Amino acid sequence: MPDRQLAVFPAYRDNPYLNLMLLAPRARGWVVLESLRTEVLEQHLARLGSGDVFHMQWTAPIVQRADDATEARARLDRFRSAVDGARGRGARLVWTVHNVLPHDARHLELELELNRYLAGAADVVHVMNVATAEAVAEHYPIDPATVEHVPHPSYQGVHPDTVTRAEARASFGLDDADLAVLAFGQMRPYKGLDVLVDAVRRLPAERRPVLLLAGRTTADDRATIDGLLADGTLGDVRAVREHDHVDDGDVQRWFRAADVAVFPYRRVLNSGSLHLAASFGLPAVLPAEPHLLAEFGDEPWIRWFDTAQPAASIAALLGDGAAVHDGPSHDEAARTAAAFSRRLAPFPVSRRYADLLDEVAASA
């Protein structure tokens, strides 16, 4: 069999999700063409033919990086022309729906046009959330016949896990009685940090809450967070922050030190940080959105806050010490989180993805 080519865009080399998913395809001999710039993508697409696959990942680089609507339109038209050319030569198109829409979209109408184009042209629409089609339906339709569900892999065994809970907590100056609430990942407005701060502010002082905040942050967003925390303090609440990328070897320290991970998102379809929490056996709190309940509703390590009154609901969950801090229910949550992570171990999930590629390529 001649070498099969898999063009992946955008291929963020520091993105662990993408690296994990490509393990099995690479092992099966797929030649992976990675690109970050649309100009390079166009060159890769021009090389594709029958038996090859173009996998479109995150859509934001196509139109969201344009300075104005005119440039965004030109970028979209060039992208469509290049993809249509590859498809005309027999290449297949796979699109992963990572988000309902890109976060903080600038050129919304053109983004919707792009998503509708991909939904209509894709031979396979890959979803990680079983309710993706319903979640995006108000913006664009997805043909159910094209949908393939391959879940997000866990990070089981990916990051070092040698630090004990006691060592991790000591590194942050935490006592056994402190309630360490973790928000991990890029700190951006849509992630609802203001809601989390409000929720922690409502906790009684005897709960001794400590916010652990870690992830890349723009200068503007950091200034907003500074304001929320009143320059690092919040009454009797402490906040420990790292406003930059956390090195792989240090990820364990944040998750091992925490009692619970909270995801106070205003909107989210998929979350890699949730799978990180599971990989470290850490209970999590998510918004009770229908599509999230459809994917994770049976997981006992996840608790759900009411999106109609998020701060009050999160505060009530954090105030329940048996659920997030100590006692048998916390131990059970940690056990089931670790079991969930093992079920979605990276290489088996990557094999499912490789099977999908093999099938779509064979249909050429």
Side-chain angles (χ1 to χ4, degrees):
M1 179 185 295
D3 289 339
R4 298 172 297 174
Q5 299 180 104
L6 171 64
V8 178
F9 180 85
Y12 301 121
R13 290 189 175 90
D14 63 349
N15 187 294
Y17 161 79
L18 199 56
N19 293 330
L20 294 176
M21 291 295 277
L22 288 170
L23 289 171
R26 291 186 194 277
R28 292 188 189 182
W30 282 89
V31 176
V32 181
L33 308 176
E34 300 174 277
S35 55
L36 288 170
R37 295 169 49 234
T38 55
E39 295 85 356
V40 178
L41 171 63
E42 290 169 4
Q43 296 172 20
H44 289 168
L45 290 173
R47 295 167 51 180
L48 302 187
S50 182
D52 298 329
V53 175
F54 168 42
H55 192 150
M56 182 71 194
Q57 295 280 349
W58 297 268
T59 61
I62 303 301
V63 301
Q64 297 309 316
R65 293 182 183 169
D67 291 332
D68 54 44
T70 300
E71 182 188 353
R73 163 54 65 190
R75 289 171 65 89
L76 175 55
D77 289 346
R78 284 182 59 179
F79 172 79
R80 291 183 60 161
S81 177
V83 174
D84 288 344
R87 294 177 63 234
R89 294 187 301 275
R92 294 300 192 234
L93 171 61
V94 175
W95 176 37
T96 293
V97 184
H98 286 277
N99 309 299
V100 175
L101 290 172
H103 307 300
D104 307 318
R106 298 169 61 196
H107 308 292
L108 182 57
E109 288 306 316
L110 289 174
E111 182 65 36
L112 288 170
E113 183 178 335
L114 169 61
N115 290 347
R116 290 168 186 146
Y117 164 72
L118 289 168
D123 298 283
V124 168
V125 176
H126 166 225
V127 303
M128 291 177 282
N129 184 298
V130 292
T132 294
E134 293 82 357
V136 304
E138 66 176 297
H139 301 294
Y140 50 89
I142 295 177
D143 181 356
T146 67
V147 172
E148 294 288 344
H149 176 246
V150 178
H152 194 299
S154 77
Y155 296 103
Q156 190 74 33
V158 173
H159 296 88
D161 188 11
T162 57
V163 173
T164 67
R165 172 178 167 84
E167 291 168 340
R169 290 176 74 86
S171 73
F172 291 116
L174 302 176
D175 295 332
D176 288 344
D178 291 329
L179 171 63
V181 180
L182 175 65
F184 190 92
Q186 290 188 25
M187 288 186 247
R188 298 170 66 185
Y190 77 90
K191 293 192 173 182
L193 289 179
D194 57 329
V195 170
L196 180 56
V197 170
D198 188 6
V200 170
R201 179 180 288 117
R202 298 172 185 231
L203 292 174
E206 57 266 25
R207 290 297 285 135
R208 298 180 59 177
V210 181
L211 280 173
L212 303 181
L213 307 177
R216 283 198 181 106
T217 318
T218 67
D220 288 345
D221 289 342
R222 178 166 183 170
T224 299
I225 295 168
D226 287 344
L228 290 172
L229 296 174
D231 196 27
T233 61
L234 183 61
D236 294 328
V237 177
R238 288 174 287 156
V240 180
R241 296 190 273 166
E242 173 57 70
H243 289 286
D244 203 347
H245 173 75
V246 176
D247 292 338
D248 287 351
D250 201 37
V251 168
Q252 59 175 328
R253 193 166 61 99
W254 293 85
F255 282 89
R256 283 293 174 220
D259 294 295
V260 60
V262 179
F263 302 92
Y265 300 143
R266 288 187 169 84
R267 61 182 188 278
V268 64
L269 184 59
N270 303 289
S271 172
S273 294
L274 175 70
H275 290 269
L276 259 181
S279 298
F280 287 99
L282 183 64
V285 176
L286 280 178
E289 297 281 2
H291 58 280
L292 294 177
L293 288 164
E295 184 75 12
F296 305 113
D298 294 333
E299 296 298 329
W301 59 281
I302 298 176
R303 303 194 71 194
W304 304 91
F305 70 84
D306 183 354
T307 57
Q309 44 184 358
S313 182
I314 292 171
L317 293 171
L318 296 179
D320 183 355
V324 300
H325 191 42
D326 50 26
S329 60
H330 178 274
D331 294 341
E332 176 67 8
R335 185 189 66 78
T336 55
F340 169 87
S341 184
R342 289 192 295 271
R343 289 200 307 272
L344 295 180
F347 201 75
V349 174
S350 180
R351 282 201 302 265
R352 291 173 61 177
Y353 170 54
D355 291 342
L356 183 156
L357 293 176
D358 290 346
E359 291 169 8
V360 72
S363 69

